[in-house]
Amino acid sequence: MSMTRLEIQQEIKHLKERYRNIQTIPSNKIEIFTEFLTKIYGRGQRSIVAVNEINLKVESGVHGFLGPNGAGKTSTINMLIGAISISRGRANIRGFRAGSIKSRRIIGFLPQDPVFYKNMTGMQYMMYMAQLNGLAKHEARHKIQDLFRTLELEDAQDRKIGKYSGGMKQRLGIAAALVHEPEILILDEPTANLDPIGRAKIIEKIKALSKRMSVFVSSHILSEIEQMCEKVTIINRGSIILSDTIKNIKEMYSASENVFILDTNANNRVLLALKNKESVTKAWIDVNDNKIHVVPSNNKEFQEIIPIIMAESNAVLKGFFQQETTLQDIFIDLMERQERRYYD
């Protein structure tokens, strides 16, 4: 149904108020910047909001973009590279409008499921991609040889891509994204469908590449993001839930989940002794690992009484450490909390 003149005027007024105080972000500091970025598929009652007014600021380095399947990660990336239109809001790449020729020139992109011409050899495919990016043949061949050496594809350059393994195809996709020497590398699920060895090699290559350019990597494999990234943005149901450095996020959660784990040859006796100590707020034997979990009221005092408790209980200490909160633990907790709010 078309909008009335009054509705159009109200919408224009609303947009003017929203963008009135937006300032231009210096392109030398911010790699990717979005303001109220929105993607809506369909119209009317059948419309689906895939990305809901996200405000994203990606600085130099390696930035992880996390979320469960269907969270809006790929739609966001496709808007950033100009593959799909933006429904509302805006996005800039190094100060250039997302999707513009200038922004595309500084982006290297690896899609979640890269598609290749199977009858082409690796070299033929790379020469084709180089020419699409405007490189002369003599210049392209030199760069491709360097990329093949770096990505361990030199021995397979004359082999047809249809005979490549999954890991080789992923590395070839990264090579294609790098052939024009981009300033920002955008990777969508770069380790999808790979075995552990293939994943480890891709992670190693991404970490090496991050020394030369900024990397924006989307994934739902939290342990890999934790290895690669300095900062992460977590998205779910099209909205940003959290954006910060991994270090800050872990410190925030560790402060609220201050748990020590003890393992002895007499856990039941030690547990009784712990429950009588003022420096212990809570103590229990966890059914999953059969070890003592302790929440102390004072970390220093608690650690000082451990030798005394071992002596009093006539027990041998087999293990004692503070439980480390992983990014995966935090992610699962955030998703569960949001789902409860969504259905309440």
Side-chain angles (χ1 to χ4, degrees), residues 248-268:
N248 287 345
I249 292 171
K250 281 189 170 185
E251 286 178 353
M252 178 178 67
Y253 269 78
S254 294
S256 61
E257 297 292 334
N258 185 27
V259 178
F260 284 81
I261 297 176
L262 287 83
D263 188 21
T264 77
N265 67 338
N267 284 345
N268 289 321

Side-chain angles (χ1 to χ4, degrees), residues 152-308:
E152 300 177 18
L153 289 169
E154 198 170 14
D155 293 340
Q157 61 181 327
D158 296 321
R159 191 186 309 172
K160 287 188 176 181
I161 299 172
K163 296 182 179 180
Y164 278 23
S165 67
M168 292 168 68
K169 288 178 181 178
Q170 287 295 89
R171 297 201 300 276
L172 182 63
I174 292 176
L178 295 171
V179 71
H180 61 298
E181 297 184 354
E183 298 173 35
I184 302 172
L185 184 61
I186 298 178
L187 307 172
D188 191 4
E189 301 286 357
T191 63
N193 305 317
L194 296 182
D195 60 33
I197 294 174
R199 286 178 175 176
K201 287 186 176 181
I202 291 295
I203 291 169
E204 181 185 342
K205 300 305 177 188
I206 292 171
K207 289 168 71 174
L209 288 168
S210 69
K211 297 176 182 178
R212 295 160 36 199
M213 64 193 68
S214 293
V215 180
F216 183 70
V217 55
S218 166
S219 180
H220 65 277
I221 303 175
L222 284 300
S223 58
E224 295 176 0
I225 287 292
E226 198 162 358
Q227 293 178 58
M228 290 185 283
C229 301
E230 301 150 10
K231 187 174 181 179
V232 296
T233 295
I234 299 175
I235 184 174
N236 190 32
R237 296 186 179 275
S239 299
I240 290 177
I241 308 303
L242 180 64
S243 187
D244 206 337
T245 64
I246 292 178
K247 181 181 178 182
N248 287 345
I249 292 171
K250 281 189 170 185
E251 286 178 353
M252 178 178 67
Y253 269 78
S254 294
S256 61
E257 297 292 334
N258 185 27
V259 178
F260 284 81
I261 297 176
L262 287 83
D263 188 21
T264 77
N265 67 338
N267 284 345
N268 289 321
R269 290 203 305 271
V270 172
L271 178 63
L272 288 173
L274 283 168
K275 287 183 174 180
N276 295 322
K277 302 299 179 182
E278 292 184 0
S279 59
V280 174
T281 301
K282 184 180 179 182
W284 71 97
I285 295 177
D286 192 274
V287 294
N288 294 313
D289 58 16
N290 292 318
K291 296 176 183 178
I292 304 170
H293 290 231
V294 183
V295 178
S297 57
N298 185 298
N299 285 3
K300 185 174 182 295
E301 290 180 7
F302 168 66
Q303 292 177 66
E304 289 173 348
I305 67 169
I306 291 300
I308 301 171

Side-chain angles (χ1 to χ4, degrees), residues 109-128:
F109 174 57
L110 175 69
Q112 180 174 350
D113 297 304
V115 178
F116 304 96
Y117 296 103
K118 295 181 180 180
N119 290 325
M120 278 187 173
T121 65
M123 176 58 76
Q124 288 171 338
Y125 176 77
M126 286 297 296
M127 288 295 294
Y128 173 64

